[in-house]
Amino acid sequence: MKTKIFNNLLLKILSVIAAVLLWLVVVNIDDAVTSKPFKNIKVNMINMDVLTEQGQMCRVEEGTDTVDIVVYARRSVLSKMRTSDFVATADMQKNLRYDSMVKIDVTYTGNDSYDRIEQNRTNVLVSIEESVTEQFKVSVKTEGKPNDGLVEGSKIPEQTLVEITGPKSVVERIKRVEAKVNITGITGTVVRPCRLELLDGDGRTIDGTYLDYIGKDKDFEVTVTTLNKKLVGISFDISSAAPKGYGISAISYAPETVTIAGERSEITPIFNLDIPASALNPEGLTGRVEQIVDISQYLKDDIVIPDEDEHEIVVTMDIMPYETANYIFLNGQIQYQNIQEGLSLDMSEIGALEVPVSGMASALAGLTAEDITVSVDLSEYRRAGTYTVPVNVVVPENCSVQEELKMSIRLNETEDGEEE
C-alpha cells in the first residue's frame, strides 16, 4: 500500500515538473527574444558650451548625426516600443575623441527590460573650428503680386543688417542673406512675416543649423508698401548732346513711354519724364551714336519704375558736323542800341558785316538774313572815339554763330554835346 501511494506522489511531482517545463517551452516559443529595428534617431549634441567658452564651435558632418539601432527583447516588449522611446546623445565634454569624433550613447526611456541594443554608428563625426561673427546686409525678395492696379513699392526689413555667428568655414560661405516675403493681394502698407535664407555664391541655400542669428528661429518682418502706377512719355534735352561744331540730324529712342509708380498725389501731375542734357553723349562722340540711358536715376524721390526692363532706354543719334553759311549785313540791317546822349554814330566809318551761321543743312536750307537779328549795345561807351565792340547775333533754333563777332565804330559828339 505504501509503495502504491509513494509511486502515485512521484508521478504527480513528475507531472508538475513536466507541466512547468512545457510552459517554459511554450512561453519561449510564443514570446521569444527577437529583434526590431528603429531608424533615423536624431543624435542630440550636449555640452556644446565647452567649445563656446574657448572661442570655438562644433560642426557635425552631414549624415553622421542620426543613428539606426536594433533592439533585442521579448516579442511582447518590442511590440510596445516606439522610436520616440529612445534617446541618442553625444556629450562633447565627456565623449570627445581625437578632436573629430563624439561617442553616441543610446538609452531607452521606458520601463520594460530588454536584452541589448546594437547601433549602426558609434560616433558622430565633428569638425571643431574657430567661431567667427560677421554682419550681412539683408536684401528683400518678393513673391506674388499685390492687388490689381498696384505695384510693389518700398520693402523695408526690420533690420537692414544681421549679425551671424558660427563656424568659420560656414560663415565664409555666406554671400547673401535674403528675406523672401509673399505680397499676394496686399494693399497699402503691410507688415509681412518671413524667414531669412542664407545663400552661397552660386545661390545655393546654406544650412543654418550651427549658426546663430536674428530670424533663425522666429519670423523676420518686412514692411511692404504698394504704389499706384501711370504710363508717361519720355523727353530728352539734346542741347548738349553734340560737341561744338556738330549737331543732331536725327534722334530716336525706345521705348518712348514708361510706367512709373508712386503715391497718387505724386504721379497725377506727371505726363512726361524730362531727362536732363547731361544724360546724353557725355563722351562727345560723333557720327551714329547708340547709347543706353538709365532713366531711373533721374526720377523724383518716392517715384519708381517698377519694371526693371524699362529702366534703360536705347537712344540712337546721328551727330553730324555743322555746315556754315555767310550772311552780309549792311548798316541799315544792324541795330545800334543805347547810344549815349550827346554822341552820334558815324555811319560812314562802318563797312559791311559778314555773319557766319552754322547749323545742320536742313536748318540752313530756308534761312535768310531776315531770320537773323544783329545788334550792337553801345551803353558802355560815353565818350567820342573809335571802338571795337562785340556784336550780338540772334539766330533761329538749331542754328548758331560759332565765333565771337566784333566790329569797329566811330562815335562823334553831337552839335549840342560836350566831350566829357
Side-chain angles (χ1 to χ4, degrees):
M1 188 67 165
K2 290 182 179 180
T3 302
K4 187 175 182 180
I5 294 172
F6 177 78
N7 290 339
N8 190 36
L9 178 62
L10 181 61
L11 183 62
K12 290 179 180 179
I13 292 171
L14 290 174
S15 297
V16 170
I17 293 173
V20 171
L21 290 174
L22 182 61
W23 178 82
L24 290 173
V25 170
V26 171
V27 167
N28 278 280
I29 292 174
D30 187 57
D31 195 19
V33 173
T34 185
S35 64
K36 181 178 180 180
F38 297 89
K39 295 183 177 294
N40 295 322
I41 300 173
K42 184 70 175 178
V43 179
N44 298 313
M45 305 297 296
I46 62 176
N47 290 324
M48 299 284 278
D49 54 347
V50 172
L51 296 176
T52 304
E53 292 171 357
Q54 301 173 7
Q56 295 178 316
M57 294 195 73
C58 170
R59 179 169 58 85
V60 177
E61 295 297 331
E62 186 176 355
T64 70
D65 59 345
T66 60
V67 62
D68 298 339
I69 63 173
V70 176
V71 180
Y72 291 84
R74 291 193 178 279
R75 185 176 287 108
S76 60
V77 174
L78 290 176
S79 65
K80 297 184 291 182
M81 288 182 173
R82 301 290 181 266
T83 302
S84 58
D85 296 330
F86 297 90
V87 176
T89 58
D91 192 326
M92 287 295 300
Q93 186 173 22
K94 296 180 181 179
N95 294 324
L96 177 63
R97 304 172 176 177
Y98 313 114
D99 290 336
S100 61
M101 297 185 297
V102 187
K103 181 175 177 291
I104 300 173
D105 289 324
V106 177
T107 57
Y108 173 57
T109 60
N111 297 319
D112 298 306
S113 61
Y114 60 88
D115 187 64
R116 69 185 186 277
I117 297 175
E118 294 180 355
Q119 302 172 206
N120 74 323
R121 177 179 290 109
T122 57
N123 295 291
V124 174
L125 301 182
V126 298
S127 294
I128 297 176
E129 302 179 42
E130 175 188 355
S131 175
V132 297
T133 300
E134 288 189 22
Q135 287 187 330
F136 296 88
K137 181 180 178 181
V138 178
S139 60
V140 179
K141 299 294 182 182
T142 58
E143 298 175 329
K145 294 182 178 180
N147 282 349
D148 290 342
L150 300 174
V151 296
E152 67 178 65
S154 61
K155 300 164 288 187
I156 304 174
E158 65 174 82
Q159 289 184 203
T160 55
L161 292 174
V162 293
E163 194 171 79
I164 299 179
T165 300
K168 184 176 181 180
S169 64
V170 179
V171 175
E172 285 181 341
R173 288 178 54 212
I174 302 173
K175 301 304 177 186
R176 196 163 71 253
V177 177
E178 288 186 355
K180 290 189 176 180
V181 57
N182 192 316
I183 61 171
T184 301
I186 69 171
T187 301
T189 299
V190 178
V191 177
R192 283 283 171 96
C194 63
R195 288 299 176 94
L196 293 180
E197 187 172 3
L198 314 180
L199 304 174
D200 65 14
D202 296 323
R204 295 185 294 244
T205 301
I206 295 174
D207 183 5
T209 302
Y210 303 103
L211 302 174
D212 182 28
Y213 56 94
I214 295 296
K216 174 183 177 180
D217 301 319
K218 65 176 185 177
D219 287 336
F220 186 88
E221 293 184 343
V222 177
T223 302
V224 184
T225 301
T226 57
L227 302 173
N228 294 278
K229 58 184 180 179
K230 181 180 182 181
L231 185 67
V232 298
I234 306 169
S235 64
F236 287 91
D237 182 347
I238 63 172
S239 61
S240 302
K244 187 176 181 180
Y246 288 79
I248 298 179
S249 63
I251 181 172
S252 61
Y253 49 89
E256 296 182 347
T257 59
V258 65
T259 298
I260 62 173
E263 296 292 336
R264 187 180 301 277
S265 59
E266 292 287 335
I267 65 174
T268 297
I270 299 176
F271 297 94
N272 215 53
L273 295 183
D274 297 319
I275 311 303
S278 59
L280 289 182
N281 197 21
E283 298 178 356
L285 303 177
T286 60
R288 171 60 66 92
V289 176
E290 187 173 281
Q291 180 184 350
I292 297 176
V293 180
D294 182 359
I295 63 172
S296 63
Q297 61 184 306
Y298 303 108
L299 298 176
K300 294 171 58 180
D301 292 341
D302 302 324
I303 296 178
V304 299
I305 299 175
D307 187 346
E308 290 189 2
D309 292 337
E310 294 185 345
H311 285 200
E312 295 182 338
I313 304 297
V314 179
V315 182
T316 302
M317 298 172 285
D318 289 327
I319 301 178
M320 308 303 291
Y322 277 154
E323 295 184 7
T324 300
N326 293 317
Y327 296 84
I328 303 299
F329 285 81
L330 303 176
N331 281 335
Q333 297 172 293
I334 301 174
Q335 300 176 13
Y336 299 98
Q337 302 170 339
N338 303 316
I339 299 175
Q340 296 297 310
E341 187 177 354
L343 297 176
S344 64
L345 184 63
D346 188 345
M347 305 297 283
S348 64
E349 296 289 333
I350 300 175
L353 176 67
E354 184 177 78
V355 177
V357 179
S358 299
M360 303 306 299
S362 57
L364 296 177
L367 186 66
T368 66
E370 285 73 20
D371 301 316
I372 304 170
T373 300
V374 179
S375 63
V376 177
D377 183 3
L378 300 175
S379 59
E380 296 184 4
Y381 306 96
R382 302 178 180 277
R383 297 176 180 273
T386 300
Y387 301 96
T388 299
V389 298
V391 178
N392 300 317
V393 181
V394 179
V395 295
E397 189 178 3
N398 299 326
C399 295
S400 65
V401 177
Q402 298 292 317
E403 59 186 86
E404 184 179 348
L405 298 180
K406 293 184 178 181
M407 63 184 299
S408 179
I409 62 163
R410 171 73 184 176
L411 291 175
N412 295 324
E413 294 181 358
T414 59
E415 293 182 0
D416 298 330
E418 290 183 12
E419 188 175 349
E420 297 181 4

